[in-house]
Amino acid sequence: PQRIVVRDLASRLGVSAAELIKQLMKQNVMATITQEIPFEVATAVAENLGFTVQRPKSAEERFLEAKKSEASQQAGKLEPRPPVVTIMGHVDHGKTTLLDVIRKSRVAAEEYGGITQHIGAYQVEVQGRRITFLDTPGHEAFTSMRARGAQVTDIAVLVVAADDGVMPQTVEAIHHARAAGVPIIVAINKVDKPGASPDRVKQQLAEHELVAEEWGGDTVMVPVSALRKQGIDELLEMILLVADLRELKAPVDQPAQGVVIEAQLDRGRGPVATVLVKEGTLKVGDPVIVGAVPGRVRALLDDRGRPLQEAGPSTPAVVLGLSDVPQPGDSLMVTPDEETARRIAQERLEKQRAEQLRPTARMTLETLSKMA
Ligand code: GTP
Ligand code: MG
């Protein structure tokens, strides 16, 4: 996108076109006087001629700078926010059942008999306080989000079946949570089963440096039965307790920033994204950039499909009004206007395209060096 015609560059630099073309040839660039050359090449030549080149700022850079100076002006206005909890654990140890029980036991009766749409995140209320659960228990989702810098989890609940004990994916989950610096609460599940042995689970976990409080360690472990709905209240209380230790806070009164939990194309509604708001407040009508997708929030829905006017920190919301389907892990930012969102989207798309081209170039080099 950023290119300049050789003749224009020459006149700006105050050299003859012939001189400039000669300089370009030294860089192995063959160009005529009317041809356009990329900004990078122009920069290199200009610098060879003793100029310093200032790259014009991208729309994204300008936006981020403005945001930064705004943020520094209103620093310190942090308010408590609900904890965001991810459920992890080995296959079949009961993650989904546990999430379902937590949700059902905490969702008002109005929903019974109604249709609950699945969304990737939901909130429950415990003792007048809210907890956000992420229904993306797959480790892959967790890891890929983290790899993309989208750290959304505050607390990991590690589900271990009391009959099965610690399994490979249990250990994997421990590593993921540790790498993310997230505290772990263990839910020892299926304690109703005949072969259940919570003590054996504790012993196995101790081998991985997760030592139960009652054994002198500092890891909260709660025996539960998702099937019999036992121990659920205790688990929720422990989540709140661990959350209190973290003193989770976020700015509320500013343009929102969030992360896409999941997204798909809906036949009637177009692109639909479940977004977890991390900072600020997302409002209907806000122009947004989500990954490389621009849009304007046409509607916000809560985890039960009810319309919201706004969503604050740690609140999951379904966002309608994007121009395309973003990727899980993509960040959402509210922009001052739609034009800024579109420009940033354009820049990001171009960057993505450039990055997609790079591996090919690398492969060619490798092939060449092999041939040499
Ligand atoms: P994946 O999503 O495949 O990794 O499994 P999951 O961890 O989500 O396990 P899920 O909730 O699907 O439960 C697996 C099986 O264990 C199901 O048949 C559940 O009914 C059963 N189960 C879950 N919790 C309990 C429990 O507390 N007690 C007993 N007895 N069975 C349970
Ligand atoms: Mg499951």
Side-chain angles (χ1 to χ4, degrees), residues 1 7 19 55 64 90 151 169 172 199 212 234 251 274 277 284 286 296 331 335 347:
R7 185 202 287 126
E19 172 63 21
R55 201 176 208 294
L64 289 176
H90 194 73
Q151 173 72 56
Q169 280 182 54
E172 231 175 72
D199 273 352
E234 287 83 346
T274 303
V277 177
V284 172
D286 278 346
R296 179 184 280 278
S331 76
T335 55
E347 288 168 5

Side-chain angles (χ1 to χ4, degrees), residues 26-46:
K26 280 193 199 160
Q27 314 256 331
N28 290 324
V29 178
M30 305 297 153
T32 65
I33 188 162
T34 54
Q35 256 176 336
E36 286 190 328
I37 53 170
F39 191 85
E40 289 69 32
V41 175
T43 303
V45 169

Side-chain angles (χ1 to χ4, degrees), residues 67-283:
K67 209 170 156 66
K68 220 176 180 180
S69 76
E70 254 170 49
S72 66
Q73 278 163 23
Q74 29 172 256
K77 284 166 67 185
L78 298 178
E79 292 174 40
R81 63 171 178 83
V84 179
V85 179
T86 300
I87 310 271
M88 309 178 90
H90 194 73
V91 183
D92 272 355
H93 279 200
K95 301 177 291 292
T96 302
T97 312
L98 187 61
L99 274 164
D100 285 352
V101 168
I102 290 172
R103 186 162 195 224
K104 288 227 181 68
S105 65
R106 290 286 154 187
V107 167
E110 71 194 61
E111 198 190 7
Y112 291 149
I115 299 159
T116 309
Q117 34 180 166
H118 166 87
I119 80 157
Y122 65 84
Q123 248 180 13
V124 299
E125 231 179 80
V126 182
Q127 301 161 1
R129 296 172 57 188
R130 291 175 298 157
I131 305 174
T132 301
F133 283 94
L134 290 190
D135 193 1
T136 47
H139 298 175
E140 267 166 52
F142 189 85
T143 314
S144 82
M145 287 234 254
R146 210 164 56 73
R148 306 183 60 192
Q151 173 72 56
V152 291
T153 305
D154 299 310
I155 297 170
V157 168
L158 180 67
V159 179
V160 188
D163 56 335
D164 216 13
V166 170
M167 297 299 275
Q169 280 182 54
T170 315
V171 179
E172 231 175 72
I174 295 171
H175 291 318
H176 287 315
R178 284 218 177 107
V182 169
I184 299 170
I185 296 176
V186 178
I188 303 179
N189 191 30
K190 306 197 187 186
V191 293
D192 59 280
K193 277 193 138 182
S197 170
D199 273 352
R200 190 170 57 107
V201 171
K202 285 179 193 168
Q203 194 189 322
Q204 289 172 333
L205 287 172
E207 287 164 25
H208 297 277
E209 278 88 48
L210 280 185
V211 183
E213 282 183 321
E214 56 275 23
W215 287 12
D218 56 8
T219 304
V220 176
M221 301 197 187
V222 187
V224 302
S225 166
L227 197 72
R228 301 253 168 97
K229 301 181 174 57
Q230 284 164 3
I232 308 300
D233 287 346
E234 287 83 346
L235 178 63
L236 293 172
E237 259 168 52
M238 287 305 156
I239 290 172
L240 287 177
L241 216 70
V242 171
D244 284 342
L245 296 176
R246 299 208 56 188
E247 295 184 38
L248 304 164
K249 289 187 173 141
V252 176
D253 196 12
Q254 66 183 49
Q257 232 173 298
V259 178
V260 175
I261 304 299
E262 62 180 13
Q264 65 269 330
L265 191 62
D266 184 279
R267 268 201 189 181
R269 299 185 296 180
V272 173
T274 303
V275 171
L276 180 75
V277 177
K278 294 206 71 179
E279 294 183 355
T281 303
L282 185 61
K283 297 175 180 158

